[in-house]
Amino acid sequence: LEEQDYLSLKKAVLLYDWIGEKGIRELEEGHKIYGGSIQKLGEEFSWLADSLKTAAESLGWKMDQPCQKNNPLSQEEKTKKDNWEKIKTLAERLNWGVEEEGLKLARLHIPGLSRSYIKALLKEGFDNEECMAELSLEELTKVLPPRLAQRIKNRINTEKSDFNLGSEIQE
């Protein structure tokens, strides 16, 4: 391989590992690069994937309307829509450095909830906000540091009270 091709493949493998199961220390040692540089590379490629998503959107790949019985999507339209969804998901995964299952947790945007803590929560079977809402603070601190666990519980309780307040106003 030419050097340019080798470097491109090396980046692709690194980014594949970044959005996979490997921890940051394993990535640093295996690829001989610092974690911050790996994260920055993930963010940069996330930006590129997001740009591709936007370009595909402008070409009509994103279809918000569900297909009706009398007007189903053609196979080509279904393929475009599926590919648009995959690009969107990949952009998010590259940004956060998580597997697809971890995106629900990453989208909470809780300060301190890093990819390693998301992986720990996934390992314990907690893959969304509803799961964490059911946990007590003590159960959550078995997996996460106490301050982060408290921050998560506060956020979830705040969102619940905001939702309940909105329901009361509608009534």
Side-chain angles (χ1 to χ4, degrees), residues 10 17 22 24-33:
K10 188 173 179 176
D17 289 344
K22 292 186 179 181
I24 197 70
R25 180 163 290 149
E26 189 178 354
L27 291 173
E28 287 178 329
E29 292 171 1
H31 294 278
K32 307 290 186 243
I33 186 170

Side-chain angles (χ1 to χ4, degrees), residues 84-156:
W84 182 86
E85 291 289 340
K86 288 176 186 176
I87 294 167
K88 177 184 170 197
T89 301
L90 179 62
E92 282 188 284
R93 290 180 64 200
L94 285 167
N95 190 48
W96 291 101
V98 296
E99 299 173 72
E100 194 166 349
E101 299 79 31
L103 285 176
K104 290 178 187 172
L105 298 175
R107 288 176 185 142
L108 295 174
H109 298 283
I110 297 175
L113 186 58
S114 65
R115 87 185 275 274
S116 59
Y117 291 133
I118 289 172
K119 288 179 184 303
L121 287 167
L122 290 175
K123 185 178 177 185
E124 295 298 319
F126 311 129
D127 63 349
N128 60 42
E129 188 174 357
E130 293 79 26
C131 289
M132 291 193 295
E134 295 173 7
L135 294 173
S136 69
L137 182 60
E138 293 74 31
E139 291 170 315
L140 201 52
T141 55
K142 291 178 184 176
V143 181
L144 302 172
R147 290 180 66 191
L148 178 57
Q150 185 64 56
R151 196 175 299 136
I152 290 170
K153 293 306 280 184
N154 289 345
R155 168 74 65 86
I156 291 170

Side-chain angles (χ1 to χ4, degrees), residues 43-70:
E43 290 170 356
E44 289 171 357
F45 273 81
S46 171
W47 181 84
L48 286 172
D50 200 46
S51 297
L52 177 61
K53 177 192 76 147
T54 302
E57 219 172 276
S58 69
L59 294 171
W61 286 27
K62 178 184 177 189
M63 290 150 203
D64 294 329
Q65 306 300 324
C67 60
Q68 284 90 24
K69 287 184 181 179
N70 57 353

